[in-house]
Amino acid sequence: MVPELAVRTAGVEDAVGVEPLVADALSRLATLRGGPALLELIGVPEGTGPEELASALCGQALLDTTTLVATLSDSIVGIAVVVRTSASVDLIGVHTARSMRRRRIGSTLLDASRALASELGMRFEALALPGDQSVKSLLEAGGIKARLLRMAADR
């Protein structure tokens, strides 16, 4: 873990720092099967741009969604998005700045997401899209194992 790394809930003032990460994450989601459905899951309308999505995530404007930011020297270097359902807290996305990868920032965000679920007394689950090996590897390294693969004919 990076010693000076801090994780906290995002606030509206973080939108500008989160926007480049959201832009990068959106471009990655566009290449993965199920990416649009993942955005739909949290109520993001099709065609939403990075600036608008960063503002919604940081302003807690998406129902039952919490965004965590990882900061290093007051710069935002990673984000995690979790959704509260009736039964669990679901991690639906983790993204770190390209220049800051392989420094355990994703692992720290994963741990913070799990801690949030624990604080709420809820089960923790994480989603990974088909073909997203980096997220699958992060989750497995964090001790999270796949227990169900759900497939749909409409996507």
Side-chain angles (χ1 to χ4, degrees):
M1 182 169 74
V2 180
E4 308 85 20
L5 190 68
V7 176
R8 60 176 170 75
T9 302
V12 291
E13 68 280 359
D14 294 316
V16 170
V18 166
E19 183 182 345
L21 295 172
V22 168
D24 194 36
L26 286 173
S27 67
R28 174 77 174 128
L29 279 176
T31 69
L32 295 169
R33 195 167 13 116
L38 185 64
L39 292 171
E40 185 180 297
L41 176 74
I42 62 171
V44 177
E46 186 177 340
T48 299
E51 181 179 2
E52 186 180 3
L53 183 53
S55 293
L57 290 170
C58 293
Q60 311 302 326
L62 300 171
L63 188 63
D64 296 323
T65 301
T66 299
T67 302
L68 302 174
V69 293
T71 61
L72 182 62
S73 301
D74 296 324
S75 294
I76 296 172
V77 295
I79 58 172
V81 179
V82 297
V83 174
R84 290 172 309 285
T85 69
S86 60
S88 64
V89 171
D90 298 344
L91 176 67
I92 63 159
V94 175
H95 199 77
T96 59
R98 289 180 184 268
S99 63
M100 300 300 294
R101 293 192 178 151
R102 316 252 349 127
R103 299 184 188 193
R104 300 198 44 80
I105 295 167
S107 297
T108 302
L109 285 163
L110 175 60
D111 292 344
S113 299
R114 288 173 97 164
L116 177 62
S118 181
E119 289 169 16
L120 296 172
M122 300 182 82
R123 182 178 72 238
F124 177 77
E125 295 192 354
L127 307 180
L129 293 173
D132 195 345
Q133 191 57 50
S134 59
V135 168
K136 290 176 187 173
S137 295
L138 171 69
L139 297 174
E140 288 174 354
I144 298 170
K145 304 296 181 218
R147 63 177 178 84
L148 173 68
L149 176 62
R150 183 182 303 189
M151 300 174 80
D154 63 340
R155 301 262 179 200

